[in-house]
Amino acid sequence: MAPDQKTTLETFQDHVRQAPDDPQLTYFDTTLSVRQVDELSDAMARALESFGIAPGARIALFMQNMPHFAITLLAAWKLGAIPVPLNPMLRTTELKHDLDDSGAELLVALDNLWEGVARDVVGSTGVRTVIIASPRSLQHRDDNRLQLEEDVSVTGDVVRFEDLLVRFEGKAPQPRGASLDDVAFLCYTSGTTGPSKGSVSTHRNVVEIARTICEVADLDSHSRVLGLAPLFHITGIMVQLVPALLARSVLILSYRYHPGVMLDSIKEHRPTFSVGPITAYIGLLQHPEFSKDHFRSFDRVYSGGAPISPSTARTFEERTGQQLLGAYGMTEATAATHLTPKGERSPVDPMTGALSVGKAIPGVSVRIIDDAGSDVPNGTPGEVLLSSGGVIAGYWHRPEDTAATIRDGWLHSGDIGVVDDDGWLYLVDRKKDLINCSGFKVWPREVEDALYEHPAVLEAAVIGVPDPYRGETVKAYVSLKEPESVSSDALQDFVRTRLAAYKRPEVIEILDDLPKTSSGKILRRALREEPSNGLSAASLDQK
């Protein structure tokens, strides 16, 4: 990066001077211009300043995909403060952990999340001020189809977001800002291996990765970015919000993911760019109102967060007319490290059957290592290591975890992958998800891909469960497309011709829906914690 590179805020402020009337944020029937977003974030920054927020202070954001999120983020940056986006699905214990761990002094929360979750824990944290926001503000249509919750009767010592915008209208904070090496935000990891950790991204991390995404994805002032991924997530911030601010693209927000509302938003605002988990796209395709016309305006449709099965990618293209482009990244890499270039078709690895997640974007270096830490030849599976200007400074106040994850400048992803001679990356699976059946390695993704080939299967997740003879055996969970119907025995017969005997699921359980994170990833961890899986060894022993 050039030494005179500007922060995201500085570039946005250039846009305020150069193109103030260009549209920046769309929320249902309301569009805010670049100037309006600047004025609203000025007012909010002045409000935060009045509450004693100083450079370096942490401000927690606990809300859905609303303009209030972007306004607060920019307001915090204007003060040199640090936004802490929090998952709106957190419950009280999880929320308290993240507030305590980050040392947040102020919380901006959706009104129903305040009443339903935050109010019970904030008093025992360091949060001194609470600002609540209504999802019905900053839009006017208030249509029942918008799936917005009703405003709630709020109790406790709080102030309303909307009142602050009125009170501080036309006022600006003392100019502070932040340098490239200051912290831009703390994004909390999902905590799959213990308590969640605050991933520290600097403004330098943010602008370097976001500018590269703009270049690779051809985002500019004519682009319209669909806010499909949640903004609290690294994908939502770094592949939607920040690129939109840098490229002066319109960001289309629709509160929270609901397939019908999202399809309405697509038809009304005609986005050109989208990124989201494959489960979100499947939900759109399964909705009764979906039609091929919904995707007519897109020129790029990316999916990340989890590998896509080749059969799912084929189905998506047949239904939408759009190629589903693979993407890969991590919170600890400040989002995307790999994207499928436009005009290129993601290949399938002949050895693993995995669909590629893309090629490394400019500035990203990749290594594949074995268990001994040695580099392996192209075409050989191993752990994916990443180096780029997006690799985080570390975990918030966790030097030991930082040292274990980032070594000699290389981020150890925990993902098992393969790189071919042309630079395409294929994800085999998570290192910790490996199933060991009598010494044979089984990667869940390979079994899941075989299940996805069945026309009735909507989603699939595979885990290892205890087995007194093999050590572990394979168990699969699937959900079905409506109105399809298929039995577990029929699915067993289907995979029998596609998988070696040791890879075949001993049990296939059909569920109405598979557990997911709020960003749309299927939660294998939740399936492992099912009580029935603790009894698997005994039940299998009786067969």
Side-chain angles (χ1 to χ4, degrees), residues 464-515:
V465 295
D467 182 289
Y469 177 66
R470 301 172 181 168
E472 281 187 298
T473 194
V474 179
K475 181 175 182 178
Y477 292 86
V478 300
S479 63
L480 303 180
K481 299 174 184 175
E482 294 183 358
E484 300 287 348
S485 177
V486 66
S487 68
S488 296
D489 288 343
L491 289 174
Q492 292 277 18
D493 291 339
F494 181 79
V495 298
R496 188 168 286 115
T497 60
R498 289 167 169 79
L499 295 170
Y502 68 91
K503 298 178 183 179
R504 295 174 200 153
E506 185 74 18
V507 177
I508 299 178
E509 189 169 333
I510 299 174
L511 303 177
D512 291 336
D513 193 25
L514 300 189

Side-chain angles (χ1 to χ4, degrees), residues 49 117 139 154 156 170 189 193 209 211 227-228 250 266 270 283 306 343 345 377 395 419 448 489 496 518:
E49 194 175 48
V117 185
Q139 61 87 32
V154 174
T189 63
T193 57
I209 293 300
R211 284 201 176 280
L228 184 61
V250 178
I266 290 171
R270 291 301 179 186
R345 184 165 291 276
Y395 294 114
V419 172
E448 290 163 2
D489 288 343
R496 188 168 286 115
S518 59

